[in-house]
Amino acid sequence: MIDKTLRKWLSLVFAVVLPGSAVCSRTIREEELQVTVSVHNDAGIPSATLRAAEAEASRLFQQSGIELTWLNCPLPAEGPEDPAQCRTAEFPAHLQLRIARRSRNLSGITFGISYLSADGSGCYANLFYERIEEMHERSRVNLPSLLGDVAAHEIGHLLLGTNSHAASGIMRARWQNEELGSISTGTLFFSEAESRQMRSKLATWQAKRKDDLPVASARLGD
C-alpha cells in the first residue's frame, strides 16, 4: 500500500475542454482506419525517448485496429514530407499533439488536456512533460512507456469525444497502482467498446469522404 501523499502523486488527472476554441476541418484521408499525429516537441524531449513513446502509443492503437502515423515537427528541410502537414488538422484523421514542459494555468497534477468542440470533435491535445517525469521518478514506471500511454489517452479523448473517461483501463481519469502496474507490463489498453467506437468513427468519416468524391467530380463537368 502507498500512503495518501504518494497516492496523490501516483494519480493522473486528465482534462478535457468543452467547447474547444481550436477548429479543425472535418475531412478524412483515404487511408482506412489510419490516423496521422503531428507532434510538436516544445519540451525538448530527447529523440530516442520521443520515438519510444510514439512506438508505445502505436502499439496500443494497433491493439484497437487503428494505425498511427507520426510527424515529428518541425520536419527536417531535406525530409520527404511536406512541412505544411505539420499544421494540418483534419478530424478525425490528422490530429495535433503538443508536448510542453508545464501547464501555465492547470492543476499541478494534470498531465494532459484535450480540446473538444460542442459536438464532441477535436484535433488538438497537450501533454505536460514535467508532470510525467515526476510520476516516472516516483513510480519508477518506464518513462517512454508512461509518456506513450499518456499520449494515447489524450488521442483517445479526441477520437472518442465527450464523456470518454472510463471506470478502468487507459481511459480512466486517474491512474493509480493498478494502471501503473499495467503500464509496466504493457497491458493497459483501450476496452473493446472504446476500440469499436473509435473504429466506427474513422470508418464513418472514411465512407462519407468516399461518397463526397464522386459528387465533387461530377460537378466539375457542369
Side-chain angles (χ1 to χ4, degrees):
M1 295 294 292
I2 57 176
D3 60 30
K4 292 183 179 179
T5 300
L6 184 56
R7 183 176 297 277
K8 176 181 178 181
W9 283 108
L10 294 180
S11 296
L12 277 174
V13 175
F14 297 97
V16 178
V17 172
L18 285 172
S21 58
V23 177
C24 52
S25 60
R26 289 170 174 77
T27 58
I28 190 164
R29 295 179 181 277
E30 289 296 319
E31 298 88 354
E32 187 174 359
L33 302 185
Q34 293 191 7
V35 176
T36 298
V37 183
S38 291
V39 180
H40 304 270
N41 183 13
D42 295 353
I45 301 171
S47 177
T49 301
L50 183 59
R51 296 303 176 99
E54 291 170 353
E56 167 69 4
S58 291
R59 183 183 68 86
L60 301 183
F61 276 94
Q62 286 171 353
Q63 183 76 11
S64 294
I66 297 169
E67 296 292 327
L68 296 186
T69 298
W70 303 92
L71 292 179
N72 291 295
C73 304
L75 297 169
E78 67 277 10
E81 300 94 342
D82 178 2
Q85 288 183 305
C86 281
R87 300 185 298 273
T88 299
E90 298 176 339
F91 178 80
H94 196 141
L95 308 177
Q96 296 280 330
L97 181 67
R98 188 169 299 278
I99 308 175
R101 288 299 307 177
R102 65 184 67 85
S103 171
R104 295 182 179 179
N105 52 18
L106 295 175
S107 164
I109 57 173
T110 301
F111 288 79
I113 184 169
S114 301
Y115 298 91
L116 302 178
S117 61
D119 65 358
S121 64
C123 291
Y124 297 90
N126 293 345
L127 307 183
F128 308 119
Y129 190 59
E130 283 189 357
R131 300 299 176 237
I132 297 170
E133 282 186 312
E134 290 170 0
M135 170 168 280
H136 157 68
E137 292 169 359
R138 287 169 172 80
S139 67
R140 309 315 303 169
V141 173
N142 176 271
L143 180 57
S145 296
L146 188 57
L147 177 61
D149 282 42
V150 173
H153 177 104
E154 294 303 336
I155 294 169
H157 273 309
L158 297 179
L159 295 178
L160 291 167
T162 56
N163 301 318
S164 50
H165 277 137
S168 61
I170 195 167
M171 293 309 297
R172 185 174 180 179
R174 291 177 178 268
W175 291 350
Q176 298 183 346
N177 282 351
E178 181 178 353
E179 288 74 28
L180 294 170
S182 294
I183 294 173
S184 295
T185 58
T187 56
L188 188 66
F189 294 116
F190 294 97
S191 69
E192 181 55 38
E194 291 163 347
S195 298
R196 285 197 305 269
Q197 185 177 341
M198 291 188 293
R199 290 196 304 267
S200 176
K201 182 168 294 186
L202 288 166
T204 297
W205 282 105
Q206 177 68 40
K208 182 178 183 298
R209 176 63 171 168
K210 289 181 179 179
D211 288 343
D212 289 346
L213 288 176
V215 174
S217 300
R219 287 175 180 172
L220 289 176
D222 292 345

